[in-house]
Amino acid sequence: MNRINPKKLLNSKWTSVSPKLKEKHFIISELELDEDDSVLSCCVEAVLTKRIAAIDWRDLKDSTSWIHGWK
């Protein structure tokens, strides 16, 4: 399980364990927080294609799907 600090999530780098469309490396490009610093929404941007997709930030905790950093 990946540990995530919501304050450091923006611009963090992630690697998809099962890449689709040759998109393996991602950056957290958009992050919306509420007053209590709880994450409301999160968007990842594929480095290769610049495609942006909204994801549930809790999915990043699953180490079978995501690896923190670029591997």
Side-chain angles (χ1 to χ4, degrees), residues 29-30 41-45 51-57 59 66:
S29 61
E30 297 176 28
S41 66
C42 178
C43 291
V44 294
E45 179 179 342
R51 184 180 65 89
I52 297 175
I55 64 165
D56 183 357
W57 71 276
D59 292 343
W66 293 97

